[in-house]
Amino acid sequence: MRIRITVNGNQEEMDVEPRELLADVLRNRLDLKGTRIGCDTSNCGACTVLIDGKAVKSCTMLAVQADGHDVMTVEGLSDGEKLHPIQEAFVQKHGMQCGYCTSGMLMTAYWLLSRNKDPDDGEIRKFFSGNLCRCTGYQDIIDSVKYASELMQPQEEKLIAKEH
Amino acid sequence: MPLQKCKYHLYLVAFVSPKEFEYHAPAELQEAFSLLKEHGDNAKILAGGQSLIPLLKSRIFSVPHLVDIGRIRGLKNVVENGSEIRIGALVTISDLEANNEIRTRFQAISDAAGLIGDPLVRNRGTIGGNISHGDPSNDMPAAMVALKARFKLSSQQGERIVDAGEFFIDTLQTDVREGEILTEIIVPEPRNRSGSAYMKLKKTAGDFCVAGVAVSVSLDQHGGLSGLNVAITAAGPRVIEVKGLEEKVTGKKLNEELSAIISTEVVNASEPAEDFYGTVEYKRKVIGLLTGDCLELAVERAKEGAKR
Ligand SMILES: Cc1cc2nc3c(=O)[nH]c(=O)nc-3n(C[C@H](O)[C@H](O)[C@H](O)COP(=O)(O)OP(=O)(O)OC[C@H]3O[C@@H](n4cnc5c(N)ncnc54)[C@H](O)[C@@H]3O)c2cc1C
Ligand code: FES
Ligand code: FES
């Protein structure tokens, strides 16, 4: 089946099988390997991407369901060589160890910060309850998200929530 | 394997890609009805996919045709008219959670929405899917039963309305008949001095529950109970409605003693089975404790509502 999706601002048109999952299409057909597949059972959030500005698990969505929608993956964060403030914050605050969960964490952080520029600990924990990390113990991730929110304060116009 | 048996096997299997199926994405309800009629038993409705896609990936369940109703217009509205609130079947769990009208007057729905899975699941899962899946561990059914909701089922033949209390038949089996789509959830506006609540016990963040309890209460002018509905999640083959409570409590004020009496009634109505989440004895304890807490919160909310 022919689908058209916007991925990180680029129009993509391709033939997919209806049973192909969005995560697989992003990784294998578009070669966007930043999106990870961790559990493949809808539990870990490593595959998190944004659909029309909202964070979802791309292993639990068919690519055909994304037809006509706007997809953003971790590759859409940086501006060329320049890291996005959320990425910069994760580097500065050690928000990762093995890094397997990180793309998902970054996308959930982007979604959260597009809705609330200055979230408190409780809200961060709540928003991240679908993203598992086996390494960090989460505290550094929370610190990273808070630091990202600080870094982003002066340039908030960059983050216009794309929800519709 | 019959769909009813699928649930507990999900923990035991590896996930792969779903088996092949044909995908249909109608833009109009009428088109969806024709597709469902044409393919009958060979078709399954797809909404947010948060229950169905994991099942398809497990290959425990497969189906030749998927009818994706996600593009149908007009099923995403929430409309209130003073006597009831009408929620479109495609409203996401996230949108329910964020809705202020629901938060202030239909609190059990709001509570349940905020406890379903995790925020990523809630961004795609829909209220219609959560109800129609017929999983006794889904949270929305108990809130629906406690709030006396009614469901609009639409098909080529027209529409019929079914009470939430009559809708849930068995595990993964509801009163949605072949060719029908659940299009709207209708919840009556609570009376003055009413409140509701939903609570569940989870083992880990984002998980289904050991058990959950939904309570809705109304108070009379003197603060005595004038109405009480309770429903239980994950305590039997389907959501359990606790019947006959009202006559036992009418006119009485909620105190520790009455709360204990109600909790015992609720525990006795439950039929939990031993599984991954615990033993029968443990689950009965959990249901009793949740009932007490949930009653207290619902009554507190009813009193707050009376002041507004
Ligand atoms: C990691 C994870 C955790 C979860 N935790 C919870 C939890 O704690 N509590 C909970 O309640 N749920 C939980 N869920 C399940 C999920 O939230 C719900 O089941 C979901 O809301 C179902 O909605 P959906 O739109 O995704 O339905 P789908 O998966 O698209 O459909 C589910 C079923 O309903 C049928 N259906 C859907 N819409 C309609 C309709 N309008 N008319 C008729 N039939 C229809 C489909 O044919 C299918 O059989 C979890 C899911 C995941 C992946
Ligand atoms: S890979 Fe999608 S949730 Fe784990
Ligand atoms: S950094 Fe290893 S899983 Fe999160």
Side-chain angles (χ1 to χ4, degrees), chain A residues 42, chain B residues 44-45 47-52 117 126 130 138-139 182 200 207:
Chain A
S42 320
Chain B
K44 193 93 185 131
I45 295 169
Q50 300 304 288
S51 291
L52 192 53
T126 65
N130 199 286
N138 277 155
D139 295 299
L182 168 62
K200 74 181 197 182
D207 197 9

Side-chain angles (χ1 to χ4, degrees), chain A residues 1 17-19 21 40-42 48 54-57 59-62 64-65 67 111 126-127 129-131, chain B residues 15 17-21 23 46-47 49-50 53-54 57 59 68 71 95 97 118-121 123-124:
Chain A
M1 190 183 145
E17 268 189 79
R19 62 175 171 160
L21 297 156
D40 216 0
T41 58
S42 320
T48 306
K54 284 189 186 164
V56 309
K57 293 171 176 172
C59 77
T60 315
M61 179 167 179
L62 302 171
V64 287
Q65 287 179 293
D67 186 20
W111 172 54
K126 194 177 140 216
F127 268 74
S129 61
N131 292 86
Chain B
F15 279 38
S17 67
K19 280 192 188 157
E20 278 181 39
F21 54 79
Y23 174 80
L46 173 70
Q50 300 304 288
I53 293 176
K57 286 174 73 176
R59 294 205 177 188
D68 182 356
R71 290 168 205 275
D95 287 343
E97 193 187 355
D118 59 59
L120 313 175
V121 169
N123 274 343
R124 286 213 50 82

Side-chain angles (χ1 to χ4, degrees), chain A residues 1-144:
Chain A
M1 190 183 145
R2 193 130 194 101
I3 61 166
R4 274 186 218 92
I5 47 179
T6 308
V7 182
N8 302 328
N10 304 320
Q11 273 286 343
E12 305 281 357
E13 198 173 333
M14 70 199 111
D15 284 315
V16 298
E17 268 189 79
R19 62 175 171 160
E20 279 182 81
L21 297 156
L22 179 62
D24 293 324
V25 165
L26 292 170
R27 288 176 54 83
N28 302 336
R29 291 192 186 265
L30 296 175
D31 205 26
L32 294 170
K33 297 260 176 14
T35 300
R36 304 277 199 263
I37 295 173
C39 63
D40 216 0
T41 58
S42 320
N43 284 294
C44 75
C47 62
T48 306
V49 302
L50 304 194
I51 303 289
D52 301 333
K54 284 189 186 164
V56 309
K57 293 171 176 172
S58 63
C59 77
T60 315
M61 179 167 179
L62 302 171
V64 287
Q65 287 179 293
D67 186 20
H69 292 276
D70 192 89
V71 181
M72 182 175 169
T73 69
V74 69
E75 288 88 349
L77 282 177
S78 67
D79 180 5
E81 290 291 292
K82 192 173 174 311
L83 292 182
H84 188 278
I86 299 175
Q87 293 171 309
E88 192 57 48
F90 270 69
V91 173
Q92 297 296 329
K93 297 287 172 188
H94 312 289
M96 78 202 87
Q97 286 178 27
C98 79
Y100 206 87
C101 69
T102 310
S103 343
M105 294 290 174
L106 294 171
M107 298 320 286
T108 299
Y110 188 98
W111 172 54
L112 165 58
L113 293 171
S114 73
R115 296 171 48 125
N116 181 351
K117 294 187 184 90
D118 192 17
D120 61 27
D121 272 36
E123 197 170 4
I124 297 173
R125 283 177 192 278
K126 194 177 140 216
F127 268 74
F128 279 81
S129 61
N131 292 86
L132 305 185
C133 175
R134 282 289 169 231
C135 306
T136 62
Y138 300 101
Q139 190 53 50
D140 286 353
I141 291 175
I142 293 166
D143 293 344
S144 301

Side-chain angles (χ1 to χ4, degrees), chain B residues 215-284:
Chain B
V215 170
S216 104
V217 297
S218 302
L219 304 178
D220 60 28
Q221 274 122 319
H222 314 291
L225 291 166
S226 65
L228 172 64
N229 300 312
V230 179
I232 330 167
T233 303
R238 56 171 188 276
V239 57
I240 304 258
E241 178 177 15
V242 186
K243 298 205 169 125
L245 283 175
E246 221 151 78
E247 49 259 43
K248 297 197 173 103
V249 303
T250 304
K252 296 181 185 161
K253 286 195 178 163
L254 186 73
N255 53 23
E256 243 174 76
E257 192 191 345
L258 187 61
S259 174
I261 292 171
I262 298 169
S263 296
T264 306
E265 292 282 332
V266 173
V267 169
N268 288 339
S270 72
E271 319 160 15
E274 175 163 348
D275 60 21
F276 169 80
Y277 290 100
T279 60
V280 171
E281 198 186 348
Y282 169 67
K283 288 184 180 184
R284 285 169 64 94

